[in-house]
Amino acid sequence: MIRFDYNYFMEEAIGPEHGITVGELDGLRTLASEALNRMAREKAEGRLGFLEIPYDDTVVRSIEKFRKSAADRFSSLAVIGIGGSALGAQALRNALSHLYLNELDERKRKKRLKVYFFDNVDPFEILAATDVMDVRETLFLVISKSGGTTETNANFAILLSMLKKKVGKHYREQVVAITDPEKGVLRKIADDEGFATFPVPQNVGGRFSVLSAVGLVPAAFMGIDIGGLLSGARTATERYYGMDLFRNAPLLCAAFHYLFDRARGKRINVLMPYTRKLFLFADWYRQLWAESLGKNRDIEGRPVVSGLTPMPALGTIDQHSQLQLYLEGPNDKVITFLKLNEFGCDVEIPDFYPGIPEVDYISRKSLRGLNRFEESATEMVLREAHRPSAAIILPRLDAEIIGELILFLEMQTAYAGYLYGINPYDQPAVEQGKQFTFGLLDRPGFERFREEFERGSSKRDDYIL
Ligand code: PA5
């Protein structure tokens, strides 16, 4: 099971100016129990689908059935989506499949498909991907809860047209849509076309949807144990849901971040694994945290400043990049290591120029051992510099543990939103940006956004050198 080690968040370790006291945590008990009550209330109202989906094994069965019927026909998967409809699957690919899945030969790939993600509006990227992807042998997963996301539809339009050119009228057999079960234009297109579909439950927000078909369908084609993901998520729900502050690690972790922000002025939330296998989790978490907590109104509509800025980091690389700033720059960061206890693999460093002591000291040492020393050393120097750090500790890397981690971080984010008194499930500012894009693309009904853009976007030439 996952552990949460908050020793170096505390004042005993890093001193009263920067560390949190037990008294401060105690002082948060009322707010924390209000957060628990709010979660219980919203769950009872059927609004928190992310807590329910781990219990839906029928999804696993239908995805597995589909995968078995389709996997032999394809060698690659194209995942078309953005934000919450793409980041989770990318994190799962790195964590639980092969880091170089696409480069493996067929024998080593076994039945897993190569996977290409189309989650940006970037001609360089789409042209590069389609140079190497065999369209005839690709299963296209278009993922959009709303169905109306411009970036996703643009990429889908381009790829669909390529597919039609290559395979003619059989194109429909190569497209799967993952979208709202009833609403939205993608649902309509999919139904009209007869594409295979999987639903995104209406009460599951995009960035909380990785354990729905949104993440599970791509994961299944990458050979990931999707039943294990849900089982791990259930472990987390059962372990934490409704538990009081000191027995509820996600709530406690949220409470620390809230206190570091409000009482210590620390406004940057760093998540730092020490393996690339987990780095895209930090990226997924960045979106989860940022879009959920960056709000300027509380649920009563009162102005509020909420949310630390999330920042992913990767050890050991960032020891040679960001660590200098973490140690001697402004003491405004709250660092959480995402530690992996058992790598399940290691490489011994061979004899390396035995006559040269400046390099020989690494001979016959283990790479994992070196990685662990570097992680511990970073933790120690941060403590010495009075910089707060904690660790979420994963015992090993498998689907169960990753499922547990996903729920841990989702619950932490939701609790943090409740502590700030905001709605962590909407994204009004992002919607506004989308409306300007619609206006600029001349989408009917959005003319006023083009006009507003033209009025507001003037720039002085003399400020541009
Ligand atoms: O978390 C969210 O709601 C967003 O990040 C969405 O996932 C993102 O905007 C994509 O939306 P959609 O799935 O509707 O295309």
PDB file of all heavy atoms in Angstrom, residues 80-87 143-153 178-179 186 200 204-209 214 287-288 291-292 425-427 430-431 434, ligand 1:
ATOM      1  N   ILE A  80      -6.543  10.334 -29.842  1.00  0.00           N
ATOM      2  CA  ILE A  80      -6.810  11.735 -30.201  1.00  0.00           C
ATOM      3  C   ILE A  80      -7.648  12.343 -29.082  1.00  0.00           C
ATOM      4  O   ILE A  80      -8.788  11.929 -28.854  1.00  0.00           O
ATOM      5  CB  ILE A  80      -7.582  11.808 -31.540  1.00  0.00           C
ATOM      6  CG1 ILE A  80      -6.891  10.951 -32.601  1.00  0.00           C
ATOM      7  CG2 ILE A  80      -7.742  13.257 -32.005  1.00  0.00           C
ATOM      8  CD1 ILE A  80      -7.843  10.482 -33.698  1.00  0.00           C
ATOM      9  N   GLY A  81      -7.087  13.276 -28.358  1.00  0.00           N
ATOM     10  CA  GLY A  81      -7.803  13.900 -27.240  1.00  0.00           C
ATOM     11  C   GLY A  81      -6.891  14.989 -26.690  1.00  0.00           C
ATOM     12  O   GLY A  81      -5.783  15.195 -27.193  1.00  0.00           O
ATOM     13  N   ILE A  82      -7.332  15.676 -25.660  1.00  0.00           N
ATOM     14  CA  ILE A  82      -6.474  16.714 -25.063  1.00  0.00           C
ATOM     15  C   ILE A  82      -6.803  16.839 -23.579  1.00  0.00           C
ATOM     16  O   ILE A  82      -7.912  16.474 -23.150  1.00  0.00           O
ATOM     17  CB  ILE A  82      -6.650  18.060 -25.815  1.00  0.00           C
ATOM     18  CG1 ILE A  82      -5.525  19.045 -25.482  1.00  0.00           C
ATOM     19  CG2 ILE A  82      -8.001  18.691 -25.536  1.00  0.00           C
ATOM     20  CD1 ILE A  82      -5.455  20.264 -26.405  1.00  0.00           C
ATOM     21  N   GLY A  83      -5.864  17.363 -22.813  1.00  0.00           N
ATOM     22  CA  GLY A  83      -6.098  17.592 -21.372  1.00  0.00           C
ATOM     23  C   GLY A  83      -6.457  16.286 -20.691  1.00  0.00           C
ATOM     24  O   GLY A  83      -5.792  15.262 -20.859  1.00  0.00           O
ATOM     25  N   GLY A  84      -7.554  16.303 -19.954  1.00  0.00           N
ATOM     26  CA  GLY A  84      -7.988  15.123 -19.219  1.00  0.00           C
ATOM     27  C   GLY A  84      -8.305  13.945 -20.117  1.00  0.00           C
ATOM     28  O   GLY A  84      -8.393  12.812 -19.650  1.00  0.00           O
ATOM     29  N   SER A  85      -8.460  14.184 -21.397  1.00  0.00           N
ATOM     30  CA  SER A  85      -8.753  13.086 -22.317  1.00  0.00           C
ATOM     31  C   SER A  85      -7.493  12.486 -22.932  1.00  0.00           C
ATOM     32  O   SER A  85      -7.601  11.656 -23.834  1.00  0.00           O
ATOM     33  CB  SER A  85      -9.699  13.579 -23.431  1.00  0.00           C
ATOM     34  OG  SER A  85     -10.980  13.785 -22.879  1.00  0.00           O
ATOM     35  N   ALA A  86      -6.320  12.919 -22.505  1.00  0.00           N
ATOM     36  CA  ALA A  86      -5.087  12.369 -23.081  1.00  0.00           C
ATOM     37  C   ALA A  86      -3.972  12.156 -22.052  1.00  0.00           C
ATOM     38  O   ALA A  86      -3.189  11.222 -22.185  1.00  0.00           O
ATOM     39  CB  ALA A  86      -4.564  13.298 -24.183  1.00  0.00           C
ATOM     40  N   LEU A  87      -3.892  13.031 -21.045  1.00  0.00           N
ATOM     41  CA  LEU A  87      -2.729  12.981 -20.151  1.00  0.00           C
ATOM     42  C   LEU A  87      -2.664  11.710 -19.313  1.00  0.00           C
ATOM     43  O   LEU A  87      -1.579  11.176 -19.053  1.00  0.00           O
ATOM     44  CB  LEU A  87      -2.727  14.211 -19.231  1.00  0.00           C
ATOM     45  CG  LEU A  87      -2.433  15.533 -19.950  1.00  0.00           C
ATOM     46  CD1 LEU A  87      -2.829  16.717 -19.068  1.00  0.00           C
ATOM     47  CD2 LEU A  87      -0.964  15.625 -20.326  1.00  0.00           C
ATOM     48  N   ILE A 143     -11.188  10.757 -28.311  1.00  0.00           N
ATOM     49  CA  ILE A 143     -11.671  10.846 -26.928  1.00  0.00           C
ATOM     50  C   ILE A 143     -12.020  12.296 -26.594  1.00  0.00           C
ATOM     51  O   ILE A 143     -11.145  13.173 -26.580  1.00  0.00           O
ATOM     52  CB  ILE A 143     -10.598  10.351 -25.927  1.00  0.00           C
ATOM     53  CG1 ILE A 143     -10.085   8.959 -26.348  1.00  0.00           C
ATOM     54  CG2 ILE A 143     -11.161  10.320 -24.521  1.00  0.00           C
ATOM     55  CD1 ILE A 143      -9.017   8.373 -25.434  1.00  0.00           C
ATOM     56  N   SER A 144     -13.284  12.539 -26.366  1.00  0.00           N
ATOM     57  CA  SER A 144     -13.699  13.879 -25.949  1.00  0.00           C
ATOM     58  C   SER A 144     -15.010  13.750 -25.203  1.00  0.00           C
ATOM     59  O   SER A 144     -16.003  13.293 -25.759  1.00  0.00           O
ATOM     60  CB  SER A 144     -13.875  14.789 -27.164  1.00  0.00           C
ATOM     61  OG  SER A 144     -14.386  16.032 -26.748  1.00  0.00           O
ATOM     62  N   LYS A 145     -14.977  14.146 -23.942  1.00  0.00           N
ATOM     63  CA  LYS A 145     -16.214  14.032 -23.165  1.00  0.00           C
ATOM     64  C   LYS A 145     -17.293  14.933 -23.757  1.00  0.00           C
ATOM     65  O   LYS A 145     -18.414  14.522 -23.977  1.00  0.00           O
ATOM     66  CB  LYS A 145     -15.949  14.407 -21.701  1.00  0.00           C
ATOM     67  CG  LYS A 145     -17.188  14.185 -20.873  1.00  0.00           C
ATOM     68  CD  LYS A 145     -17.001  14.503 -19.424  1.00  0.00           C
ATOM     69  CE  LYS A 145     -18.373  14.276 -18.775  1.00  0.00           C
ATOM     70  NZ  LYS A 145     -18.493  14.922 -17.492  1.00  0.00           N
ATOM     71  N   SER A 146     -16.916  16.176 -24.031  1.00  0.00           N
ATOM     72  CA  SER A 146     -17.903  17.131 -24.547  1.00  0.00           C
ATOM     73  C   SER A 146     -18.170  16.900 -26.032  1.00  0.00           C
ATOM     74  O   SER A 146     -19.249  17.169 -26.534  1.00  0.00           O
ATOM     75  CB  SER A 146     -17.385  18.556 -24.354  1.00  0.00           C
ATOM     76  OG  SER A 146     -16.211  18.737 -25.140  1.00  0.00           O
ATOM     77  N   GLY A 147     -17.184  16.439 -26.731  1.00  0.00           N
ATOM     78  CA  GLY A 147     -17.303  16.258 -28.188  1.00  0.00           C
ATOM     79  C   GLY A 147     -17.023  17.548 -28.946  1.00  0.00           C
ATOM     80  O   GLY A 147     -16.860  17.540 -30.159  1.00  0.00           O
ATOM     81  N   GLY A 148     -16.940  18.662 -28.225  1.00  0.00           N
ATOM     82  CA  GLY A 148     -16.843  19.941 -28.928  1.00  0.00           C
ATOM     83  C   GLY A 148     -15.478  20.591 -28.845  1.00  0.00           C
ATOM     84  O   GLY A 148     -15.348  21.802 -29.098  1.00  0.00           O
ATOM     85  N   THR A 149     -14.445  19.838 -28.527  1.00  0.00           N
ATOM     86  CA  THR A 149     -13.134  20.452 -28.317  1.00  0.00           C
ATOM     87  C   THR A 149     -12.420  20.664 -29.659  1.00  0.00           C
ATOM     88  O   THR A 149     -12.176  19.713 -30.405  1.00  0.00           O
ATOM     89  CB  THR A 149     -12.307  19.580 -27.351  1.00  0.00           C
ATOM     90  OG1 THR A 149     -13.059  19.461 -26.141  1.00  0.00           O
ATOM     91  CG2 THR A 149     -10.964  20.182 -27.049  1.00  0.00           C
ATOM     92  N   THR A 150     -12.096  21.908 -29.932  1.00  0.00           N
ATOM     93  CA  THR A 150     -11.560  22.280 -31.249  1.00  0.00           C
ATOM     94  C   THR A 150     -10.308  21.489 -31.610  1.00  0.00           C
ATOM     95  O   THR A 150     -10.185  20.963 -32.713  1.00  0.00           O
ATOM     96  CB  THR A 150     -11.206  23.788 -31.252  1.00  0.00           C
ATOM     97  OG1 THR A 150     -12.343  24.497 -30.781  1.00  0.00           O
ATOM     98  CG2 THR A 150     -10.820  24.272 -32.626  1.00  0.00           C
ATOM     99  N   GLU A 151      -9.358  21.413 -30.676  1.00  0.00           N
ATOM    100  CA  GLU A 151      -8.078  20.746 -30.970  1.00  0.00           C
ATOM    101  C   GLU A 151      -8.309  19.289 -31.355  1.00  0.00           C
ATOM    102  O   GLU A 151      -7.746  18.783 -32.328  1.00  0.00           O
ATOM    103  CB  GLU A 151      -7.154  20.802 -29.739  1.00  0.00           C
ATOM    104  CG  GLU A 151      -6.709  22.193 -29.337  1.00  0.00           C
ATOM    105  CD  GLU A 151      -7.665  22.872 -28.360  1.00  0.00           C
ATOM    106  OE1 GLU A 151      -8.874  22.528 -28.307  1.00  0.00           O
ATOM    107  OE2 GLU A 151      -7.198  23.781 -27.641  1.00  0.00           O
ATOM    108  N   THR A 152      -9.147  18.631 -30.571  1.00  0.00           N
ATOM    109  CA  THR A 152      -9.412  17.208 -30.820  1.00  0.00           C
ATOM    110  C   THR A 152     -10.103  17.034 -32.164  1.00  0.00           C
ATOM    111  O   THR A 152      -9.749  16.153 -32.957  1.00  0.00           O
ATOM    112  CB  THR A 152     -10.274  16.652 -29.666  1.00  0.00           C
ATOM    113  OG1 THR A 152      -9.552  16.847 -28.458  1.00  0.00           O
ATOM    114  CG2 THR A 152     -10.594  15.186 -29.851  1.00  0.00           C
ATOM    115  N   ASN A 153     -11.084  17.888 -32.431  1.00  0.00           N
ATOM    116  CA  ASN A 153     -11.812  17.739 -33.693  1.00  0.00           C
ATOM    117  C   ASN A 153     -10.915  18.044 -34.895  1.00  0.00           C
ATOM    118  O   ASN A 153     -11.038  17.415 -35.945  1.00  0.00           O
ATOM    119  CB  ASN A 153     -13.071  18.603 -33.680  1.00  0.00           C
ATOM    120  CG  ASN A 153     -14.126  17.981 -32.778  1.00  0.00           C
ATOM    121  OD1 ASN A 153     -14.123  16.757 -32.581  1.00  0.00           O
ATOM    122  ND2 ASN A 153     -15.007  18.792 -32.217  1.00  0.00           N
ATOM    123  N   ILE A 178     -14.856   7.755 -27.685  1.00  0.00           N
ATOM    124  CA  ILE A 178     -15.089   7.687 -26.233  1.00  0.00           C
ATOM    125  C   ILE A 178     -15.624   9.054 -25.832  1.00  0.00           C
ATOM    126  O   ILE A 178     -14.924  10.069 -25.918  1.00  0.00           O
ATOM    127  CB  ILE A 178     -13.781   7.336 -25.494  1.00  0.00           C
ATOM    128  CG1 ILE A 178     -13.284   5.964 -25.996  1.00  0.00           C
ATOM    129  CG2 ILE A 178     -13.997   7.323 -23.988  1.00  0.00           C
ATOM    130  CD1 ILE A 178     -11.961   5.530 -25.427  1.00  0.00           C
ATOM    131  N   THR A 179     -16.882   9.076 -25.464  1.00  0.00           N
ATOM    132  CA  THR A 179     -17.543  10.367 -25.271  1.00  0.00           C
ATOM    133  C   THR A 179     -18.755  10.204 -24.357  1.00  0.00           C
ATOM    134  O   THR A 179     -19.023   9.115 -23.843  1.00  0.00           O
ATOM    135  CB  THR A 179     -17.928  10.966 -26.647  1.00  0.00           C
ATOM    136  OG1 THR A 179     -18.362  12.310 -26.460  1.00  0.00           O
ATOM    137  CG2 THR A 179     -19.013  10.172 -27.364  1.00  0.00           C
ATOM    138  N   LEU A 186     -19.876  14.662 -30.852  1.00  0.00           N
ATOM    139  CA  LEU A 186     -19.134  13.431 -31.152  1.00  0.00           C
ATOM    140  C   LEU A 186     -20.040  12.212 -30.962  1.00  0.00           C
ATOM    141  O   LEU A 186     -19.969  11.240 -31.722  1.00  0.00           O
ATOM    142  CB  LEU A 186     -17.885  13.339 -30.264  1.00  0.00           C
ATOM    143  CG  LEU A 186     -17.023  12.090 -30.470  1.00  0.00           C
ATOM    144  CD1 LEU A 186     -16.535  11.954 -31.924  1.00  0.00           C
ATOM    145  CD2 LEU A 186     -15.822  12.096 -29.524  1.00  0.00           C
ATOM    146  N   VAL A 200     -18.149   8.068 -21.433  1.00  0.00           N
ATOM    147  CA  VAL A 200     -17.521   8.756 -20.292  1.00  0.00           C
ATOM    148  C   VAL A 200     -18.693   9.122 -19.379  1.00  0.00           C
ATOM    149  O   VAL A 200     -19.556   9.908 -19.782  1.00  0.00           O
ATOM    150  CB  VAL A 200     -16.823  10.072 -20.712  1.00  0.00           C
ATOM    151  CG1 VAL A 200     -16.023  10.628 -19.543  1.00  0.00           C
ATOM    152  CG2 VAL A 200     -15.953   9.880 -21.936  1.00  0.00           C
ATOM    153  N   VAL A 204     -18.346  12.296 -14.277  1.00  0.00           N
ATOM    154  CA  VAL A 204     -16.877  12.214 -14.139  1.00  0.00           C
ATOM    155  C   VAL A 204     -16.264  13.331 -14.983  1.00  0.00           C
ATOM    156  O   VAL A 204     -16.416  13.354 -16.203  1.00  0.00           O
ATOM    157  CB  VAL A 204     -16.350  10.847 -14.640  1.00  0.00           C
ATOM    158  CG1 VAL A 204     -14.832  10.802 -14.540  1.00  0.00           C
ATOM    159  CG2 VAL A 204     -16.971   9.705 -13.841  1.00  0.00           C
ATOM    160  N   GLY A 205     -15.577  14.249 -14.324  1.00  0.00           N
ATOM    161  CA  GLY A 205     -14.958  15.362 -15.054  1.00  0.00           C
ATOM    162  C   GLY A 205     -13.749  14.892 -15.843  1.00  0.00           C
ATOM    163  O   GLY A 205     -13.119  13.883 -15.485  1.00  0.00           O
ATOM    164  N   GLY A 206     -13.414  15.609 -16.916  1.00  0.00           N
ATOM    165  CA  GLY A 206     -12.317  15.211 -17.798  1.00  0.00           C
ATOM    166  C   GLY A 206     -11.051  14.820 -17.066  1.00  0.00           C
ATOM    167  O   GLY A 206     -10.501  13.730 -17.262  1.00  0.00           O
ATOM    168  N   ARG A 207     -10.578  15.695 -16.179  1.00  0.00           N
ATOM    169  CA  ARG A 207      -9.283  15.424 -15.544  1.00  0.00           C
ATOM    170  C   ARG A 207      -9.381  14.362 -14.442  1.00  0.00           C
ATOM    171  O   ARG A 207      -8.366  13.951 -13.895  1.00  0.00           O
ATOM    172  CB  ARG A 207      -8.678  16.723 -15.015  1.00  0.00           C
ATOM    173  CG  ARG A 207      -9.570  17.489 -14.075  1.00  0.00           C
ATOM    174  CD  ARG A 207      -9.061  18.895 -13.850  1.00  0.00           C
ATOM    175  NE  ARG A 207     -10.012  19.703 -13.089  1.00  0.00           N
ATOM    176  CZ  ARG A 207     -11.010  20.368 -13.637  1.00  0.00           C
ATOM    177  NH1 ARG A 207     -11.212  20.333 -14.936  1.00  0.00           N
ATOM    178  NH2 ARG A 207     -11.826  21.086 -12.881  1.00  0.00           N
ATOM    179  N   PHE A 208     -10.610  13.952 -14.114  1.00  0.00           N
ATOM    180  CA  PHE A 208     -10.802  12.883 -13.125  1.00  0.00           C
ATOM    181  C   PHE A 208     -11.206  11.577 -13.824  1.00  0.00           C
ATOM    182  O   PHE A 208     -11.736  10.681 -13.192  1.00  0.00           O
ATOM    183  CB  PHE A 208     -11.906  13.279 -12.129  1.00  0.00           C
ATOM    184  CG  PHE A 208     -11.507  14.368 -11.162  1.00  0.00           C
ATOM    185  CD1 PHE A 208     -11.591  15.718 -11.509  1.00  0.00           C
ATOM    186  CD2 PHE A 208     -11.038  14.052  -9.888  1.00  0.00           C
ATOM    187  CE1 PHE A 208     -11.222  16.719 -10.612  1.00  0.00           C
ATOM    188  CE2 PHE A 208     -10.675  15.039  -8.993  1.00  0.00           C
ATOM    189  CZ  PHE A 208     -10.761  16.381  -9.346  1.00  0.00           C
ATOM    190  N   SER A 209     -10.975  11.499 -15.155  1.00  0.00           N
ATOM    191  CA  SER A 209     -11.592  10.401 -15.910  1.00  0.00           C
ATOM    192  C   SER A 209     -10.631   9.291 -16.314  1.00  0.00           C
ATOM    193  O   SER A 209     -11.013   8.404 -17.074  1.00  0.00           O
ATOM    194  CB  SER A 209     -12.273  10.973 -17.162  1.00  0.00           C
ATOM    195  OG  SER A 209     -11.309  11.434 -18.095  1.00  0.00           O
ATOM    196  N   VAL A 214     -11.847   6.449 -20.815  1.00  0.00           N
ATOM    197  CA  VAL A 214     -10.884   7.438 -21.329  1.00  0.00           C
ATOM    198  C   VAL A 214      -9.438   6.943 -21.184  1.00  0.00           C
ATOM    199  O   VAL A 214      -8.634   7.057 -22.115  1.00  0.00           O
ATOM    200  CB  VAL A 214     -11.075   8.785 -20.585  1.00  0.00           C
ATOM    201  CG1 VAL A 214      -9.937   9.746 -20.859  1.00  0.00           C
ATOM    202  CG2 VAL A 214     -12.420   9.396 -20.940  1.00  0.00           C
ATOM    203  N   GLN A 287      -2.017  18.992 -14.416  1.00  0.00           N
ATOM    204  CA  GLN A 287      -3.300  19.442 -14.968  1.00  0.00           C
ATOM    205  C   GLN A 287      -4.428  19.266 -13.955  1.00  0.00           C
ATOM    206  O   GLN A 287      -5.272  20.137 -13.771  1.00  0.00           O
ATOM    207  CB  GLN A 287      -3.627  18.662 -16.241  1.00  0.00           C
ATOM    208  CG  GLN A 287      -4.855  19.213 -16.947  1.00  0.00           C
ATOM    209  CD  GLN A 287      -5.933  18.189 -17.238  1.00  0.00           C
ATOM    210  OE1 GLN A 287      -5.796  17.016 -16.921  1.00  0.00           O
ATOM    211  NE2 GLN A 287      -7.010  18.637 -17.845  1.00  0.00           N
ATOM    212  N   LEU A 288      -4.409  18.096 -13.289  1.00  0.00           N
ATOM    213  CA  LEU A 288      -5.458  17.812 -12.307  1.00  0.00           C
ATOM    214  C   LEU A 288      -5.514  18.923 -11.259  1.00  0.00           C
ATOM    215  O   LEU A 288      -6.570  19.484 -10.952  1.00  0.00           O
ATOM    216  CB  LEU A 288      -5.157  16.456 -11.642  1.00  0.00           C
ATOM    217  CG  LEU A 288      -6.066  16.021 -10.515  1.00  0.00           C
ATOM    218  CD1 LEU A 288      -7.453  15.688 -11.041  1.00  0.00           C
ATOM    219  CD2 LEU A 288      -5.485  14.801  -9.786  1.00  0.00           C
ATOM    220  N   GLU A 291      -6.061  22.849 -12.991  1.00  0.00           N
ATOM    221  CA  GLU A 291      -7.392  23.187 -13.507  1.00  0.00           C
ATOM    222  C   GLU A 291      -8.446  23.071 -12.398  1.00  0.00           C
ATOM    223  O   GLU A 291      -9.463  23.758 -12.433  1.00  0.00           O
ATOM    224  CB  GLU A 291      -7.734  22.255 -14.683  1.00  0.00           C
ATOM    225  CG  GLU A 291      -8.485  22.978 -15.784  1.00  0.00           C
ATOM    226  CD  GLU A 291      -8.549  22.189 -17.080  1.00  0.00           C
ATOM    227  OE1 GLU A 291      -9.361  21.256 -17.178  1.00  0.00           O
ATOM    228  OE2 GLU A 291      -7.790  22.509 -17.998  1.00  0.00           O
ATOM    229  N   SER A 292      -8.180  22.209 -11.429  1.00  0.00           N
ATOM    230  CA  SER A 292      -9.159  22.045 -10.349  1.00  0.00           C
ATOM    231  C   SER A 292      -9.091  23.192  -9.349  1.00  0.00           C
ATOM    232  O   SER A 292     -10.128  23.662  -8.856  1.00  0.00           O
ATOM    233  CB  SER A 292      -8.914  20.722  -9.609  1.00  0.00           C
ATOM    234  OG  SER A 292      -9.026  19.642 -10.498  1.00  0.00           O
ATOM    235  N   TYR A 425     -14.281  21.087  -9.629  1.00  0.00           N
ATOM    236  CA  TYR A 425     -14.687  20.280 -10.789  1.00  0.00           C
ATOM    237  C   TYR A 425     -15.027  21.092 -12.036  1.00  0.00           C
ATOM    238  O   TYR A 425     -15.372  20.527 -13.056  1.00  0.00           O
ATOM    239  CB  TYR A 425     -15.875  19.379 -10.407  1.00  0.00           C
ATOM    240  CG  TYR A 425     -15.591  18.569  -9.164  1.00  0.00           C
ATOM    241  CD1 TYR A 425     -16.296  18.787  -7.981  1.00  0.00           C
ATOM    242  CD2 TYR A 425     -14.574  17.610  -9.158  1.00  0.00           C
ATOM    243  CE1 TYR A 425     -16.011  18.072  -6.830  1.00  0.00           C
ATOM    244  CE2 TYR A 425     -14.272  16.894  -8.000  1.00  0.00           C
ATOM    245  CZ  TYR A 425     -14.992  17.122  -6.841  1.00  0.00           C
ATOM    246  OH  TYR A 425     -14.694  16.429  -5.706  1.00  0.00           O
ATOM    247  N   ASP A 426     -14.993  22.410 -11.949  1.00  0.00           N
ATOM    248  CA  ASP A 426     -15.293  23.181 -13.169  1.00  0.00           C
ATOM    249  C   ASP A 426     -14.023  23.851 -13.693  1.00  0.00           C
ATOM    250  O   ASP A 426     -12.952  23.723 -13.103  1.00  0.00           O
ATOM    251  CB  ASP A 426     -16.416  24.209 -12.923  1.00  0.00           C
ATOM    252  CG  ASP A 426     -15.998  25.279 -11.918  1.00  0.00           C
ATOM    253  OD1 ASP A 426     -14.858  25.220 -11.401  1.00  0.00           O
ATOM    254  OD2 ASP A 426     -16.789  26.197 -11.644  1.00  0.00           O
ATOM    255  N   GLN A 427     -14.125  24.534 -14.811  1.00  0.00           N
ATOM    256  CA  GLN A 427     -12.958  25.223 -15.393  1.00  0.00           C
ATOM    257  C   GLN A 427     -13.451  26.417 -16.215  1.00  0.00           C
ATOM    258  O   GLN A 427     -13.258  26.471 -17.427  1.00  0.00           O
ATOM    259  CB  GLN A 427     -12.076  24.297 -16.231  1.00  0.00           C
ATOM    260  CG  GLN A 427     -12.751  23.491 -17.354  1.00  0.00           C
ATOM    261  CD  GLN A 427     -13.540  22.321 -16.843  1.00  0.00           C
ATOM    262  OE1 GLN A 427     -13.148  21.667 -15.893  1.00  0.00           O
ATOM    263  NE2 GLN A 427     -14.688  22.065 -17.435  1.00  0.00           N
ATOM    264  N   VAL A 430     -11.029  28.297 -18.645  1.00  0.00           N
ATOM    265  CA  VAL A 430     -10.629  27.555 -19.844  1.00  0.00           C
ATOM    266  C   VAL A 430     -11.747  27.658 -20.886  1.00  0.00           C
ATOM    267  O   VAL A 430     -11.509  27.814 -22.084  1.00  0.00           O
ATOM    268  CB  VAL A 430     -10.357  26.074 -19.487  1.00  0.00           C
ATOM    269  CG1 VAL A 430      -9.955  25.282 -20.719  1.00  0.00           C
ATOM    270  CG2 VAL A 430      -9.265  25.972 -18.435  1.00  0.00           C
ATOM    271  N   GLU A 431     -12.978  27.593 -20.400  1.00  0.00           N
ATOM    272  CA  GLU A 431     -14.120  27.679 -21.317  1.00  0.00           C
ATOM    273  C   GLU A 431     -14.088  29.015 -22.063  1.00  0.00           C
ATOM    274  O   GLU A 431     -14.387  29.091 -23.250  1.00  0.00           O
ATOM    275  CB  GLU A 431     -15.453  27.558 -20.546  1.00  0.00           C
ATOM    276  CG  GLU A 431     -15.633  26.246 -19.794  1.00  0.00           C
ATOM    277  CD  GLU A 431     -15.499  25.010 -20.676  1.00  0.00           C
ATOM    278  OE1 GLU A 431     -15.879  25.086 -21.855  1.00  0.00           O
ATOM    279  OE2 GLU A 431     -14.967  23.985 -20.188  1.00  0.00           O
ATOM    280  N   LYS A 434     -11.777  28.932 -24.913  1.00  0.00           N
ATOM    281  CA  LYS A 434     -12.342  28.146 -26.009  1.00  0.00           C
ATOM    282  C   LYS A 434     -13.302  29.001 -26.830  1.00  0.00           C
ATOM    283  O   LYS A 434     -13.368  28.895 -28.052  1.00  0.00           O
ATOM    284  CB  LYS A 434     -13.120  26.940 -25.450  1.00  0.00           C
ATOM    285  CG  LYS A 434     -12.262  25.819 -24.926  1.00  0.00           C
ATOM    286  CD  LYS A 434     -13.146  24.640 -24.509  1.00  0.00           C
ATOM    287  CE  LYS A 434     -12.345  23.554 -23.813  1.00  0.00           C
ATOM    288  NZ  LYS A 434     -13.171  22.492 -23.251  1.00  0.00           N
TER     289      LYS A 434
HETATM  290  O1  PA5 B   1     -10.482  18.403 -17.152  1.00  0.00           O
HETATM  291  C1  PA5 B   1     -11.125  18.850 -18.072  1.00  0.00           C
HETATM  292  O2  PA5 B   1     -12.352  18.939 -18.032  1.00  0.00           O
HETATM  293  C2  PA5 B   1     -10.427  19.300 -19.344  1.00  0.00           C
HETATM  294  O3  PA5 B   1      -9.052  19.267 -19.229  1.00  0.00           O
HETATM  295  C3  PA5 B   1     -10.848  18.423 -20.508  1.00  0.00           C
HETATM  296  O4  PA5 B   1     -10.426  17.091 -20.264  1.00  0.00           O
HETATM  297  C4  PA5 B   1     -10.278  18.936 -21.815  1.00  0.00           C
HETATM  298  O5  PA5 B   1     -10.619  20.278 -22.008  1.00  0.00           O
HETATM  299  C5  PA5 B   1     -10.813  18.110 -22.979  1.00  0.00           C
HETATM  300  O6  PA5 B   1     -12.202  18.131 -22.981  1.00  0.00           O
HETATM  301  P1  PA5 B   1     -13.032  17.092 -23.785  1.00  0.00           P
HETATM  302  O7  PA5 B   1     -12.796  15.730 -23.228  1.00  0.00           O
HETATM  303  O8  PA5 B   1     -14.453  17.515 -23.620  1.00  0.00           O
HETATM  304  O9  PA5 B   1     -12.593  17.177 -25.214  1.00  0.00           O
END
